[in-house]
Amino acid sequence: MKEPLVPVVPMSHTAHIRSHRKPRRSATSSIALRAGVAGGVLSMAAAGASASANAAEPVTQTIELPTLTADMSAQVAQSAAATQQAAANYELRAERDAAAAKAAAEAKKDLAEAKKKAEAKKKAAEAARKAAAERAARSAERATLSTASASASASASTSVSAPSSGSVATVIAFLKAQVGDAYVMGATGPNAWDCSSLVQAAYKQVGVDLPRVSQDQSMAGTEVSLSNLQVGDILYWGGKGSAYHTGVYIGDGQYLDAANPSKGVVIQDLSGYPADGAVRVL
């Protein structure tokens, strides 16, 4: 360490006068003094550095955790039990929701099946109703025919006269003009017919006066074989003299008739509904 510099002070004009001050110490004493001061300063610096080093070191303390009491243990156990119960409740609710969803899906499926069966049953009932109505119409016509007198049936063949004019073509043209009209039992035209009224009206176009009901029409004219049919022959279904339905043969294995309430006046194939007999009046 360097020694401090001592300032040089110029001497005054009174320097030759003896001073009452004490004489200066010797150089040796001054050096010793400076050395002592320097040593003290160094000692203080070392002590300060040591104190700083000690202050920089972290101070650690050991904190002891409190021991769990019986109350705290009970609270922990109670909390664990509550958590477990909540988990069980959640699981139960999830199972119930899944069961409810499954039940709803099954109910929806059952409802669809029930609707499907109800629709099929409704269609079957409608078909049965139509078939029953057709059978009832046929039965009513047969009942009407059964009330006809035996004498009228016997004389029916003599009531048919030869056509004074016209031809088979006129009869067929009239019949085809009625295709699409309604079937109404007892109706006689011009837009609704039953089987025998349509046949009667068609032959009236050429001057042939036929009986009104199919039972009597089956007795009119000349009996012909079904294998030897000609256009214009009258076809009948049922026994001769007790027929319940009539139509007119139009050729190519087809006939035209007022079939029933569901079909109305139509052209049909004999192969689908073969006749029981035929008569020729032209």
Side-chain angles (χ1 to χ4, degrees), residues 27 33 41 55 99-100 106 108 196-198 200 202 204 210 229 250:
L33 178 60
V41 171
E106 291 179 353
K108 185 177 181 181
S196 57
S197 69
L198 179 62
Q200 183 187 48
K204 190 174 183 179
L210 289 176
L229 291 175
I250 61 173

Side-chain angles (χ1 to χ4, degrees), residues 176-190:
K176 288 185 176 180
Q178 315 312 312
V179 171
D181 285 356
Y183 175 98
V184 177
M185 189 177 64
T188 57

Side-chain angles (χ1 to χ4, degrees), residues 86-174:
N89 291 339
Y90 178 81
E91 183 178 359
L92 179 60
R93 185 164 57 251
E95 291 177 354
R96 288 177 178 175
D97 292 344
K102 183 178 180 181
E106 291 179 353
K108 185 177 181 181
K109 182 179 179 181
D110 292 342
L111 179 60
E113 289 292 334
K115 287 183 177 180
K116 185 177 180 180
K117 291 180 180 179
E119 186 66 22
K121 186 176 181 180
K122 181 179 178 181
K123 290 181 178 180
E126 183 65 19
R129 186 189 65 79
K130 289 182 178 180
E134 184 175 349
R135 288 193 300 269
R138 300 291 190 191
S139 298
E141 186 173 0
R142 287 194 295 270
T144 301
L145 294 175
S146 65
T147 60
S149 63
S151 60
S153 298
S155 61
S157 59
T158 61
S159 65
V160 178
S161 59
S164 58
S165 62
S167 65
V168 172
T170 302
V171 173
I172 301 305
F174 175 84

Side-chain angles (χ1 to χ4, degrees), residues 168-177 179 198-199 202-203 229-235 237 247-258 265-270 278:
V168 172
T170 302
V171 173
I172 301 305
F174 175 84
L175 290 169
K176 288 185 176 180
V179 171
L198 179 62
V199 173
Y203 282 92
L229 291 175
Q230 294 181 6
V231 175
D233 288 346
I234 299 174
L235 303 173
W237 285 260
V248 178
Y249 183 69
I250 61 173
D252 297 325
Q254 293 182 318
Y255 66 97
L256 189 152
D257 68 337
V265 178
V266 292
I267 295 174
Q268 306 189 78
D269 290 331
L270 269 173

Side-chain angles (χ1 to χ4, degrees), residues 11 19 43 68 84 98 110 124 138-140 150 153-154 163 167 169 192-193 208 245 270 273 275-276 279:
M11 297 182 65
S19 173
S43 298
L68 293 176
Q84 185 176 4
D110 292 342
R138 300 291 190 191
S139 298
S153 298
S167 65
W193 312 86
V208 176
H245 186 66
L270 269 173
Y273 190 28
D276 294 311
V279 293

